[in-house]
Structure formats: structure tokens, C-alpha cells
Amino acid sequence: MMSISIRDIFTNPDGFIDKDIKLEGWIKTSRASKNFGFIELTDGTSFNTIQVVYGKDIENFAEIDKYPISSTLEIEGKLVKSPGKDQSLEIQAKNVNPLCVSDASYPLQKKRHTMEYLRKIAHLRPRSNTFNAVFRVRSLIAYAIHKFFQEKGFVYVHAPIITTSDAEGAGEMFQVTTLDIEALAKSEPTEVDYSKDFFDKKTHLTVSGQLEAEAFAQSFKNIYTFGPTFRAENSNTQRHAAEFWMIEPEMAFADLNVNMDVSEEMLKYIINYVLENAKEEMKFFNKFIDEGLLERLENVVNNEFARITYTEAIEILEKADREFNYPVSWGIDLQTEHERYITEEVYKKPVFVTDYPKEIKAFYMFENEDKKTVAAMDLLVPGVGEIIGGSQREHRLDVLEEKMRNIGMDMDTYDWYLDLRRYGSVVHSGYGLGFERAVMYITGMKNIRDVIPFPRTVGNAEF
Amino acid sequence: MMSISIRDIFTNPDGFIDKDIKLEGWIKTSRASKNFGFIELTDGTSFNTIQVVYGKDIENFAEIDKYPISSTLEIEGKLVKSPGKDQSLEIQAKNVNPLCVSDASYPLQKKRHTMEYLRKIAHLRPRSNTFNAVFRVRSLIAYAIHKFFQEKGFVYVHAPIITTSDAEGAGEMFQVTTLDIEALAKSEPTEVDYSKDFFDKKTHLTVSGQLEAEAFAQSFKNIYTFGPTFRAENSNTQRHAAEFWMIEPEMAFADLNVNMDVSEEMLKYIINYVLENAKEEMKFFNKFIDEGLLERLENVVNNEFARITYTEAIEILEKADREFNYPVSWGIDLQTEHERYITEEVYKKPVFVTDYPKEIKAFYMFENEDKKTVAAMDLLVPGVGEIIGGSQREHRLDVLEEKMRNIGMDMDTYDWYLDLRRYGSVVHSGYGLGFERAVMYITGMKNIRDVIPFPRTVGNAEF
């Protein structure tokens, strides 16, 4: 008999009810009375478990409830509607065969564990309800992003991970090398000879694939990257990881309005995809992790996002009937408290803020006619603050060159980037979505360490 | 009027014929006679270009053929059936507005360029026919892989990129550090203090996500990774890059047969997806890059793959009516010449070779009853040789521990990996597919540098 999965059962129960089935899985809980035993079985394919009921007639009846939690079983039996109220389906087992009996010291016993404890057993924590739901939803969000862009004809581009560019202060970087550091340290004082390094040059891990993405947008019109990026920042917060994934779409023949349209459509698409394909998991998050989550997400999906300029945002904040820790005036960078006030208390829905002072934004952003602001946009969402940042890019060679010179960039290193303005330059725009921020937002999880399979943070690169 | 794309036109020509349309794009070629001008326009959304015809009545008629190749235009006009034979559709332009006039020194003039030259302008080469096709197909293959696994309920796992594990000799590694190497070199002789490094430890770039993938397979049953991996090997060949992407599915309750079934199904799925969704590109490859490509791929899709053991493969090679550079005997590692003989000359289709001598395979592979071989599999395909490698994993704690001790592995570092055998151990299997190898195989491109947007190889990390 072919094995089936718990996912098969819950996808199409009518196809299996009152039929003999076989399936394998792990014991989540197990108990037995004199004449009956009950196993809550999981096989990893579904957030749901299935109840297995067995009677005294089974040969190994006496041993079964001795198998420790997490032991691996093969079950043969009949799928029936459960007489109980809570559970609609159960298996009346004819055979309960132990495949691998687990050690009784299993660190994930059925009780409440702290998040800190679970992080220490990152190789086992996806077996817990919370992390099972988190990592399945993470996978669905990743897929929804690909699906959204592919259906719109965007080309997926793998931006390089190892780079010689220093990304102009976008963040602290990790160095990548094959030099023997230990030998260098032990040697008499000397200079580092990078011609002996693997790439003949000093190299780092990328902080963004945007510049490379722009080159491809000028070939394919619409492209997106989705890959890991790195920051060597010594910030031990709930929202910072040294290694995280980013999505960076880039579109030619697209101004800031198109940029906002696409990000709004994308965010709604992803949320809808998860709400539809992870119903059980989302109910779980709403109940145990973040009450009000579903309401908040429905609110995002069903509302048109607001669009205001930075200057309007400053006016709103100046008029606000409350004290901010960071005082407000035109020219400041918006802080999380400002962002959340605007999106949570004023608009009560996602808000795009556009046209920031050029001094607080990156060199590659398109300078507006007022010469004071750039065509940047940040998307602020209730509960989080900024979740997407983007801009129309400066496509005028002379304007860009002047800006780069003014901040002292190495023009040789970026000559290829300037080529994009020399040959076939075009109005273009793009944005960045921090993937883990999106996962946190959609699951309600509060710590970035709890949405990454094996998180890398200051002092921690275990597993 | 809303702009449309060339992709829109070719997807649904009847929706636009004899209608006024607007679109933007880049000049690929341009010529004019006294009374008419012709522009071959691309907008990046399609491998196809569209011909734009304009007459003397247009205001800027005299300037248009002076705009250099790659200049950006906005076209307004009517889409009509072309009177010529070659091209079925053209635009009779009413307006040809230059958006950005390109510099005339455009390095990608319409003539044959060498692959070496094109690699030097990696930021522009996706605008050439060959690389436009390569990178669109690369994107489609990536998506097909996600689609295949997601439709089967596999969970996508991001394995960590930065790792403390040394992967037991799977390859030379890059070190990742925030230590000031230059200061260390200049200082008096000293020891490296890794407690001052970012992660408090010596860290590297990953060579494989398999071990982490196994942990997640024991939670979700079926999972896959798809991310960058790294080798610091000084091998300057057509098939080696320092940075490349890998797909590593891992399945619980799955023996070697399931492993072969899934890889066969996956490879056929991807190829079918590309044949269906990149018809023009695939015809182009077949004509200009690799004659016989389409026939070879159809052959893969329409045949059941052969399955033989390593021992049978050795017998076939020993009986072969030809000389090999590497002599054949039981126990050797198969070389490309052996692999290609078996798949190209004997079977003329893809062949799985299974059950290799344990000495030539990795420690984590399941030891067969004969105690001489392990449950490994390699998939050999005509034209390439090995494209997929995998195995059933050793799930018996005692057998695995003994093997690890015998090869002198650090048991503490891998204690978490042993936990997977202590708690809920299960027959499981997985394999690795080098993404770029798959792209080369499906496009017929011969050099790995030509299927990666910005390749990283010995001495090269440009852009």
C-alpha cells in the first residue's frame, strides 16, 4: 500500500474516509488507558496533526505508549470521522510499527518553552507549533514573491554576493578572504598583499544588489533580485541580523508612481497568498502570537494606501497633539515613533511618504525640480513602521556625476554604473523589501532571530 | 494613453492590431531612406523586437536615424500586419520621441563580439541576443524549480551562508571576518584573537546547506534549499565558479528510490517549463549556440532514466571497446570520460548510477548491507556527465558516530547533527543540483561565466 501524508488527508478527506491507509510520522503526544491508546501524530506536511486510536488487539499494545515523544512510527489503519467534537478525523490503527525509537531525553517536551531556549535548539525548534508555522509561512511568502513578479514578466536576477564595491556607506561590511590571517598576524610587520588574495583584490559581502539590478533593468525593463545581503553592524536588537534576505525589484520606464503602485500591489498579493494558503498557521499566530494580526492584515489588503510627501508628513507631526522623543522639523530623518504615529494614529493604514530632503537620502536618487528633495519613497505600515524603501533613480549623467564627485566617490569603480546613463539611459525606479521584516510583519513575530532558520547575529553563528 | 509592452503585443496580437498604441524601448538597429525610416525596437520584455516604420510626415524625421543605437524612444502609432514576409507585425509611427539620446560610443554595436569581450562589459551584455536569452531562461529555470517543489508541498528553507562548520573537506572555503587584517599584518607578531571577530569565532562561507536541510526535513518531511554556495578552489575551468547557486532538496521517509524518482521528475518538469515558456530563446540556442540541443532535451523529457549500480557501470566500462585515459577498476571514482561513455554511447539517455564504494563518498551516506557500498546516486546526462549527486543519509546513530570518529571529525561541532539521529531519526534522502550546471545544460552554453550575471572566479570579482 502506498503511504499518504497528513496533508493529503486534510486536502481531500472524502477521498480517504472509511478507507484503509498507511502513513508515517512522529509522535507529538501519546497516552494509553487499559484498553485504548491515543497518539497525536505529525508528519510535517501539515500544521494539523492526526489522532491515531489503537486497541488492545494490537500485538505491541503494551509497548506503544512507552515510545518517547518524537519517535518515528508507521501506521496502518482506517480513516474515520471522529466521534469526539474537537477533531473531525482519526485513524483506527491496525498496526503501529516503530521505525525509530527516540531517545527519552528529547529536549522539546510538550510544555511551554521560552523563545531563548528554543533558539539554542534551532535544529529542533521547527518541530514546535510556533516555528513550524513560522517557517512554513516564510516559505510561502518567498514563493508568493517569485509568483507575483514572474506572473508580471519580471526577470529574476542573482546579484553577486561577493563584491569589490564598498556600497558607499550603506552599512558596515564583512571582508571575504583566502589570505592566511593567522600567518599574517604571526609574521613580522608587513603590508597585506591583496594580489595574493583569491580575487586579486579586497572583497566584501554585498549589502545590496541594487546597482547590478539597475544594469539588468536596462536590458529587461522589469527585474527583481532575491538573495542574501549582509551587515556587520554591532547592533543587538530585535530587528537586526548580520545575514538577511532582500528583494530588490528594478523597473525601467517607471517613475516613482509606478514604484508605489507595484510595491502596493506586491504587498497585498503576498498577504492574500498567505491568508489563503496558510489558514491554520495564520489563525495560530492570531491566537497565540499577536492578537489583532488578522484584522491588521485584512485592513492592509482592503485599503488603498495613503500617499503623502515628506513635507506633508512633517506638517502632520508638527501639528500632532503629543510629545515625541525626537523633535520634529523639516530636514530630520523620520524616526520609528514618527512613522508609527502617521501610519497608526493618523491614517490607520499603510502610508507612502515621498520626496525626502536630499541630504538624508542616497546619492543615486533622482533630484526633484525643487533641488531640495529627491524622488524617494518609504512605505510605513501599522505595527512596524518602515517596511519598504525605494526611489526613482537619477538617470541624468551630469547630475549623477556631480553628486558622486561631491561625496568623494571613486569614479573609476563606478564607471560601469555611469555607463548605464551614457547608453540607453531611462527613467527608472526600484525598491527594497527586507524579507525577514516582511515575515515578521505577516506572522506577528517580534524578534528577527525567530523568523530565520539559523540566525546570524553579533557573537552568534551556531549550527 | 497607457503604454504597452512588446510582450503584451506578442502575447495577444489580436487585441492591438489596427489600434493606436504607445510604447517605450531602445533602438536595436535603425536606418532610413529618403522617405521612410525603420527602427528595430526592443523594450526588454520579450526576446522579440518590433519594427517601427515612420515616414517623412514626422516632424523630427531628419534626426531619427541619427540617434545612436541604444537610445531610448517613446513611440506612438498604429500596430499593423507587416506587408513583408519575415515579420508579421509592425508599428506605423505617428510620433518618435527621443527620451534619452545614447552616447555614440556604445560598446555593443551590431556585430559579432567574442564571449571574452562581452564578459568585460557584463553590465551591458544582457542587451545582446545571446545573454538576453540566457538570463531570461536562467530566471525561468529558477522559478520552475520553486514551482515544482511548492506544488509538491515542499518547504523552502534558507540555509545559512555564514557558517562555523568546516563542512569536512567538501571544498576550500572563504573566510569571513570583521578583523582588521591590515592592522594585524602591520603589528608585531601575535595570535589572532577570534573573540574579537564579529561572531566570536572563525567563520566561513558555506559550501553546502545539506546538514541544516536535514534538520528541517525532520520537521517538515519535504524541504528544499536554494541559495548561494562558495568554493575557494583555484580551478580556472569552464565549469567552476567561486560563487554559485545550489538546490538541495531533503526528504524524510524517503529512500534512494524516492530520491531518484523526485530528481527525475524535477529535471523533466524544469525542462518542460522552459520549452513551453521560452520558445523563442530555445530556438535561438538550438540555432546559434548548440545544434541538437532541442533534440537532446526532448530525449530527456520523453525517456525513463536508466538506473544501474556502480558495480554494473564498472562492468560496462571494463567491457567497453575503447581506451580510457583513466583505467577502470572497481573502487575508482568515475571520471567525466567514463560518465559520458555510459550516458552518451551506451544508454543514450540520462542514467542514475547508484551504490558507490563507501571510500569515495561522504561520511553521511547510508552504508548498504554489503558494508562496501553506500546508497549514493549520481545522475549522468548526455553532453555533460554528472548533473545531480545525492544519497540516502545514514540515519543510524551508532553507524554514523563510528564513521565520524574514524575520519576524525570534531564530535562536539556536529553534536546537533547527531541529535537528528537521537530524536525521531528516520530514513531520509536528498540531493544537490548545481543551478548553473542546470542552466548550462538547458541553454547549451559552455562556460559557467556566461550563465551568471556577474561571475566570480579566480582573480575576478568585477562589478
Side-chain angles (χ1 to χ4, degrees):
Chain A
M1 196 192 307
M2 279 278 289
S3 292
I4 62 167
S5 70
I6 295 180
R7 185 175 181 240
D8 293 335
I9 292 174
F10 284 103
T11 309
N12 174 27
D14 291 344
F16 299 103
I17 281 179
D18 293 325
K19 293 197 173 133
D20 283 329
I21 57 170
K22 187 171 101 176
L23 82 174
E24 296 105 9
W26 293 278
I27 300 174
K28 264 205 115 158
T29 64
S30 172
R31 65 198 160 83
S33 62
K34 237 184 197 169
N35 298 314
F36 287 101
F38 303 90
I39 297 166
E40 193 193 347
L41 194 81
T42 178
D43 71 354
T45 62
S46 169
F47 191 67
N48 292 307
T49 53
I50 189 136
Q51 173 155 281
V52 178
V53 186
Y54 58 94
K56 254 188 128 161
D57 52 315
I58 285 187
E59 202 188 355
N60 54 339
F61 178 82
E63 278 92 64
I64 295 176
D65 76 326
K66 311 263 184 322
Y67 303 140
I69 292 182
S70 96
S71 293
T72 318
L73 304 178
E74 177 189 74
I75 307 288
E76 290 177 301
K78 191 193 270 186
L79 185 73
V80 297
K81 290 202 174 166
S82 167
K85 275 183 186 175
D86 286 358
Q87 204 169 2
S88 58
L89 298 169
E90 66 180 36
I91 298 170
Q92 289 175 344
K94 288 168 188 159
N95 278 304
V96 176
N97 305 321
L99 298 176
C100 288
V101 175
S102 191
D103 194 284
S105 63
Y106 187 53
L108 205 61
Q109 296 294 326
K110 196 176 171 67
K111 62 166 191 171
R112 252 191 196 286
H113 300 284
T114 65
M115 290 292 182
E116 290 73 22
Y117 173 75
L118 291 168
R119 272 174 224 144
K120 282 181 193 147
I121 50 168
H123 59 309
L124 303 175
R125 68 177 178 169
R127 305 182 190 185
S128 70
N129 286 335
T130 301
F131 288 97
N132 199 273
V134 165
F135 292 122
R136 192 186 306 280
V137 168
R138 183 180 164 110
S139 166
L140 292 172
I141 296 173
Y143 184 57
I145 289 165
H146 282 296
K147 201 163 183 296
F148 172 77
F149 285 115
Q150 294 274 340
E151 284 171 358
K152 290 180 92 70
F154 281 55
V155 169
Y156 178 30
V157 176
H158 290 108
I161 312 297
I162 297 171
T163 174
T164 52
S165 119
D166 60 0
E168 281 315 300
E172 292 291 312
M173 300 178 91
F174 290 100
Q175 188 169 354
V176 174
T177 185
T178 53
L179 294 172
D180 187 338
I181 302 182
E182 283 144 55
L184 271 174
K186 275 185 207 147
S187 72
E188 292 302 312
T190 178
E191 293 285 331
V192 175
D193 179 3
Y194 282 112
S195 76
K196 290 192 180 140
D197 207 347
F198 191 88
F199 296 107
D200 284 347
K201 276 187 180 171
K202 191 168 177 177
T203 52
H204 294 98
L205 292 178
T206 185
V207 296
S208 161
Q210 181 200 313
L211 305 194
E212 291 89 355
E214 286 185 51
F216 272 68
Q218 251 170 272
S219 309
F220 292 105
K221 184 173 177 177
N222 294 324
I223 68 100
Y224 67 109
T225 71
F226 190 166
T229 50
F230 304 85
R231 296 278 190 291
E233 271 154 41
N234 199 347
S235 39
N236 216 337
T237 81
Q238 294 210 324
R239 288 164 58 84
H240 289 90
E243 175 182 316
F244 56 97
W245 287 62
M246 275 237 283
I247 296 98
E248 298 185 286
E250 196 71 35
M251 295 161 280
F253 306 103
D255 62 15
L256 197 63
N257 286 316
V258 176
N259 214 14
M260 287 190 277
D261 293 345
V262 173
S263 19
E264 178 167 345
E265 196 187 337
M266 179 200 69
L267 200 58
K268 288 175 172 174
Y269 183 98
I270 302 170
I271 294 172
N272 275 324
Y273 188 85
V274 173
L275 290 175
E276 203 163 299
N277 290 281
K279 289 197 179 74
E280 298 299 319
E281 287 84 351
M282 293 307 290
K283 266 188 246 164
F284 173 87
F285 291 130
N286 195 55
K287 193 165 171 189
F288 293 106
I289 301 293
D290 185 358
E291 239 177 287
L293 174 70
L294 287 176
E295 200 188 335
R296 206 164 63 236
L297 294 177
E298 302 278 359
N299 178 44
V300 171
V301 166
N302 296 320
N303 274 295
E304 211 168 298
F305 296 2
R307 298 183 182 196
I308 60 171
T309 65
Y310 169 89
T311 304
E312 287 164 343
I314 292 293
E315 281 164 16
I316 289 167
L317 293 168
E318 282 175 338
K319 274 187 244 155
D321 186 20
R322 69 133 89 181
E323 286 290 307
F324 294 110
N325 293 324
Y326 293 87
V328 173
S329 67
W330 201 98
I332 64 156
D333 209 355
L334 299 184
Q335 303 296 318
T336 302
E337 57 171 344
H338 307 137
E339 294 175 341
R340 296 187 63 165
Y341 175 77
I342 291 169
T343 183
E344 288 168 18
E345 300 188 35
V346 182
Y347 286 94
K348 301 184 197 323
K349 64 177 183 179
V351 181
F352 285 108
V353 180
T354 63
D355 303 296
Y356 285 75
K358 66 177 178 181
E359 283 74 19
I360 59 172
K361 289 289 183 181
F363 74 94
Y364 51 72
M365 296 189 178
F366 181 83
E367 190 171 289
N368 290 323
E369 272 185 35
D370 62 16
K371 304 219 168 191
K372 282 163 46 188
T373 61
V374 287
M377 63 162 212
D378 281 357
L379 176 61
L380 317 180
V381 293
V384 170
E386 189 205 323
I387 191 168
I388 285 175
S391 70
Q392 186 178 318
R393 317 307 190 187
E394 185 55 75
H395 70 283
R396 296 163 298 186
L397 180 62
D398 52 344
V399 182
L400 184 61
E401 275 185 319
E402 198 192 322
K403 277 185 132 178
M404 289 169 71
R405 266 199 210 97
N406 285 346
I407 58 172
M409 286 175 69
D410 175 16
M411 304 304 277
D412 280 350
T413 308
Y414 293 96
D415 196 52
W416 69 268
Y417 186 65
L418 291 168
D419 269 358
L420 304 179
R421 278 71 183 169
R422 292 185 188 109
Y423 310 118
S425 190
V426 55
V427 171
H428 66 292
S429 296
Y431 61 90
L433 168 69
F435 180 60
E436 280 77 11
R437 293 270 169 96
V439 177
M440 289 165 77
Y441 181 58
I442 293 174
T443 60
M445 296 295 286
K446 293 288 174 284
N447 195 315
I448 198 167
R449 292 166 180 79
D450 298 331
V451 299
I452 299 178
F454 299 95
R456 272 72 181 101
T457 53
V458 187
N460 176 50
E462 299 306 309
F463 302 99
Chain B
M1 198 191 307
M2 279 279 289
S3 293
I4 62 166
S5 71
I6 295 181
R7 185 175 182 240
D8 292 335
I9 293 174
F10 286 102
T11 310
N12 174 27
D14 290 344
F16 299 103
I17 281 179
D18 294 326
K19 294 200 174 132
D20 283 328
I21 58 170
K22 188 172 100 177
L23 81 174
E24 296 105 10
W26 294 277
I27 301 174
K28 265 205 116 159
T29 64
S30 173
R31 67 196 158 84
S33 62
K34 238 184 198 171
N35 299 314
F36 287 100
F38 303 89
I39 297 166
E40 193 194 347
L41 194 81
T42 178
D43 72 353
T45 62
S46 170
F47 191 66
N48 292 306
T49 54
I50 189 135
Q51 173 155 281
V52 178
V53 185
Y54 58 94
K56 253 189 131 161
D57 52 314
I58 285 187
E59 202 188 355
N60 54 339
F61 179 82
E63 279 90 63
I64 295 176
D65 76 327
K66 311 263 183 325
Y67 304 141
I69 292 181
S70 96
S71 292
T72 319
L73 304 178
E74 178 190 72
I75 308 287
E76 289 176 302
K78 192 192 271 185
L79 185 73
V80 297
K81 290 202 174 165
S82 166
K85 275 183 185 175
D86 286 358
Q87 203 167 3
S88 59
L89 297 170
E90 67 180 35
I91 298 171
Q92 289 176 344
K94 289 168 188 159
N95 279 304
V96 177
N97 305 321
L99 299 176
C100 288
V101 175
S102 191
D103 194 285
S105 64
Y106 186 54
L108 205 61
Q109 296 295 326
K110 195 174 172 69
K111 62 166 191 170
R112 253 191 194 285
H113 300 283
T114 64
M115 291 291 183
E116 289 74 21
Y117 173 75
L118 291 168
R119 271 173 224 144
K120 283 182 192 146
I121 49 168
H123 59 309
L124 302 175
R125 68 177 178 169
R127 304 181 191 184
S128 70
N129 286 335
T130 302
F131 288 96
N132 199 272
V134 165
F135 293 121
R136 192 186 306 279
V137 168
R138 182 179 165 111
S139 165
L140 292 172
I141 296 173
Y143 184 56
I145 289 165
H146 282 297
K147 200 162 184 294
F148 173 77
F149 285 115
Q150 294 275 340
E151 284 170 358
K152 291 181 92 71
F154 281 55
V155 169
Y156 178 30
V157 176
H158 290 108
I161 312 296
I162 298 171
T163 174
T164 52
S165 120
D166 61 1
E168 280 315 301
E172 292 292 312
M173 299 178 90
F174 290 100
Q175 188 169 354
V176 175
T177 183
T178 53
L179 293 173
D180 186 339
I181 301 182
E182 283 143 54
L184 271 175
K186 275 185 206 148
S187 71
E188 293 302 312
T190 178
E191 294 284 331
V192 175
D193 179 3
Y194 282 112
S195 78
K196 290 190 178 141
D197 206 347
F198 191 88
F199 296 107
D200 284 349
K201 275 187 181 172
K202 191 170 179 176
T203 52
H204 294 96
L205 291 178
T206 185
V207 296
S208 160
Q210 181 200 313
L211 306 193
E212 290 89 356
E214 287 184 52
F216 272 68
Q218 252 170 273
S219 307
F220 292 105
K221 183 171 176 176
N222 294 325
I223 67 100
Y224 67 109
T225 72
F226 190 166
T229 50
F230 304 84
R231 296 278 189 291
E233 272 155 39
N234 199 348
S235 38
N236 216 339
T237 81
Q238 294 210 323
R239 289 164 57 84
H240 289 90
E243 175 181 315
F244 56 96
W245 288 62
M246 275 236 283
I247 297 97
E248 298 184 287
E250 196 70 36
M251 296 160 280
F253 306 104
D255 62 16
L256 196 63
N257 285 316
V258 176
N259 214 13
M260 289 190 276
D261 293 345
V262 173
S263 18
E264 178 168 344
E265 197 186 336
M266 179 200 69
L267 199 58
K268 289 175 171 174
Y269 183 98
I270 301 171
I271 294 172
N272 275 324
Y273 187 84
V274 173
L275 291 175
E276 204 164 299
N277 290 281
K279 289 197 180 74
E280 297 300 319
E281 287 84 352
M282 293 307 289
K283 265 189 247 165
F284 172 87
F285 292 130
N286 196 56
K287 193 166 172 189
F288 294 106
I289 300 293
D290 184 359
E291 239 176 287
L293 174 69
L294 287 176
E295 200 188 336
R296 205 163 64 237
L297 294 177
E298 301 279 358
N299 178 43
V300 171
V301 166
N302 297 321
N303 274 295
E304 211 169 298
F305 297 1
R307 299 183 182 196
I308 60 172
T309 64
Y310 168 89
T311 304
E312 287 163 344
I314 292 294
E315 283 163 15
I316 289 168
L317 293 168
E318 282 175 338
K319 273 188 245 156
D321 186 18
R322 69 134 87 181
E323 286 289 307
F324 293 109
N325 292 325
Y326 293 86
V328 173
S329 67
W330 202 97
I332 65 155
D333 209 354
L334 299 184
Q335 303 297 317
T336 303
E337 57 171 342
H338 306 137
E339 294 174 342
R340 295 188 63 165
Y341 174 79
I342 291 169
T343 183
E344 289 168 17
E345 300 188 35
V346 181
Y347 285 94
K348 301 183 197 325
K349 64 177 184 178
V351 181
F352 285 107
V353 179
T354 63
D355 303 298
Y356 285 75
K358 66 177 178 182
E359 282 76 16
I360 59 171
K361 289 289 184 183
F363 75 92
Y364 50 72
M365 296 187 177
F366 181 84
E367 189 171 290
N368 289 324
E369 271 185 36
D370 62 16
K371 302 217 168 191
K372 281 164 47 189
T373 61
V374 287
M377 65 163 211
D378 281 355
L379 176 61
L380 317 180
V381 293
V384 170
E386 188 205 323
I387 191 167
I388 285 174
S391 70
Q392 186 176 318
R393 317 308 190 186
E394 186 55 76
H395 71 281
R396 295 163 297 185
L397 179 63
D398 51 344
V399 182
L400 184 61
E401 274 185 319
E402 198 191 320
K403 277 185 132 179
M404 289 168 70
R405 265 199 211 95
N406 286 345
I407 57 172
M409 285 175 69
D410 175 16
M411 306 302 278
D412 279 350
T413 307
Y414 294 96
D415 196 52
W416 69 269
Y417 186 65
L418 292 168
D419 268 358
L420 304 179
R421 278 69 184 170
R422 292 184 188 109
Y423 310 118
S425 191
V426 55
V427 171
H428 66 292
S429 297
Y431 62 89
L433 168 69
F435 180 59
E436 281 77 10
R437 294 269 169 96
V439 177
M440 291 165 76
Y441 181 59
I442 292 173
T443 59
M445 296 295 287
K446 293 288 173 285
N447 195 314
I448 198 167
R449 290 165 182 80
D450 298 329
V451 300
I452 299 179
F454 300 95
R456 272 73 181 99
T457 51
V458 187
N460 176 49
E462 299 306 308
F463 303 99

